Amino acid sequence: MNSREKDLLVGAAAGAAAGAAAVLVAQKLVELWRKPSLVKVTYFQMAGRAGAVRAALKRAKIPYVNEFVTRDQVQAMRPSLPFGQVPVFELLKGARGRGAERGRVLSQSVAFLRYAGKFSSLYPASPYEALKVDEALDGVSDGMLCVVDSLREKDMAKKLQMRKELIAPEGNLRKFFASMQRLMASNGGAYLCGADLTIADLAMYTMTAAVRDKFLDGVPPEFLDDFPLLANLHMKLASMKELWEMDY
């Protein structure tokens, strides 16, 4: 290869690099253009299924307002809700771009969690890495289903018996935590899906916090100590106080 050919090759490589950089800049500008500037979160006055979404919005520096509702209010609202349940989310400002509709009420907390995560690098661009996050998110959703019946039970004696069964050696809640710990270990053990914080960690924190903060009557806080990786993850997330501070 002569010197002229080398110069042409170097020039082509430089042009390609500049082109790639320009594409990245353009993608970032489009992302910022489409980023909502205000979101309304309608849910109960608790973390629950909206806690991780609120944390993801904070991480993305997207302002939001809470509309706290009671169960009686939700009952009256059901006909107007997309899936007859809360939380629901409304893009009040921003979110410009094709397909974005300000004022539209959107449902499904995990779907909105992914949406918010895309504005803060908490949801990976890589299809495979995103698959790992989705796997963990679906796992957390399964875990939440474990406790639904006991949450709805009004008789305290029955509730406590249900919780006792959930954390027994073959209980579904214990099996869920064991499964999530194995998943975390297989991904390297730093965070749930690998070396970086993702929305899956925010979702898992709602479960670990429910145990540590004694939200689940009959499930002792030390139950989490049986799963050291998850206990360590909980401490990491709990230290990010700016994500969780909320007047409930």
Side-chain angles (χ1 to χ4, degrees):
M1 182 182 294
N2 58 42
S3 59
R4 184 172 181 277
E5 290 173 333
K6 288 181 179 179
D7 289 342
L8 288 173
L9 184 60
V10 170
V23 169
L24 290 174
V25 170
Q27 288 175 339
K28 191 65 177 177
L29 288 173
V30 168
E31 177 183 294
L32 290 173
W33 184 61
R34 291 180 175 173
K35 182 177 179 178
S37 55
L38 183 62
V39 172
K40 181 168 77 172
V41 181
T42 301
Y43 193 57
F44 305 118
Q45 197 168 356
M46 60 185 290
R49 291 184 178 273
V53 173
R54 294 185 185 113
L57 289 171
K58 287 183 178 181
R59 183 83 174 192
K61 294 181 171 55
I62 298 174
Y64 68 89
V65 293
N66 284 305
E67 180 182 28
F68 294 131
V69 292
T70 65
R71 297 192 183 279
D72 288 341
Q73 287 173 318
V74 171
Q75 192 64 33
M77 294 164 58
R78 285 193 193 282
S80 64
L81 299 174
F83 288 87
Q85 61 187 11
V86 291
V88 292
F89 312 92
E90 185 178 346
L91 306 179
L92 296 178
K93 294 180 182 178
R96 298 178 295 274
R98 197 163 107 185
E101 299 179 34
R102 275 175 285 178
R104 180 180 175 184
V105 175
L106 301 159
S107 190
Q108 299 301 337
S109 57
V110 176
F112 205 88
L113 179 58
R114 291 189 185 96
Y115 173 74
K118 291 175 181 178
F119 294 108
S120 61
S121 73
L122 292 182
Y123 190 70
S126 160
Y128 176 67
E129 295 302 321
L131 172 63
K132 288 164 61 179
V133 172
D134 290 340
E135 176 187 28
L137 284 173
D138 287 347
V140 174
S141 294
D142 289 346
M144 288 184 173
L145 291 177
C146 290
V147 299
V148 167
D149 288 344
S150 66
L151 287 171
R152 291 174 177 167
E153 179 57 60
K154 295 181 179 180
D155 184 286
M156 182 55 72
K158 291 181 180 178
K159 184 190 292 284
L160 293 176
Q161 180 59 34
M162 293 169 76
R163 298 274 169 78
K164 182 178 180 180
E165 293 171 1
L166 283 172
I167 63 174
E170 295 300 317
N172 286 336
L173 191 61
R174 182 172 292 278
K175 288 180 179 178
F176 159 69
F177 273 89
S179 295
M180 297 306 290
Q181 169 141 297
R182 285 194 299 271
L183 180 66
M184 186 173 175
S186 71
N187 287 329
Y191 287 98
L192 203 55
C193 299
D196 299 317
L197 178 72
T198 72
I199 54 174
D201 298 296
L202 303 185
M204 187 63 204
Y205 180 76
T206 63
M207 293 295 292
T208 59
V211 174
R212 276 291 196 241
D213 296 343
K214 302 180 182 179
F215 178 77
L216 299 173
D217 294 315
V219 179
E222 56 270 20
F223 170 71
L224 188 59
D225 296 332
D226 292 346
F227 312 95
L229 289 180
L230 297 180
N232 186 54
L233 177 67
H234 176 81
M235 286 193 295
K236 286 183 183 179
L237 271 291
S239 70
M240 303 176 188
K241 297 185 183 300
E242 69 282 0
L243 298 183
W244 311 108
E245 289 177 348
M246 171 62 58
D247 291 329
Y248 293 123

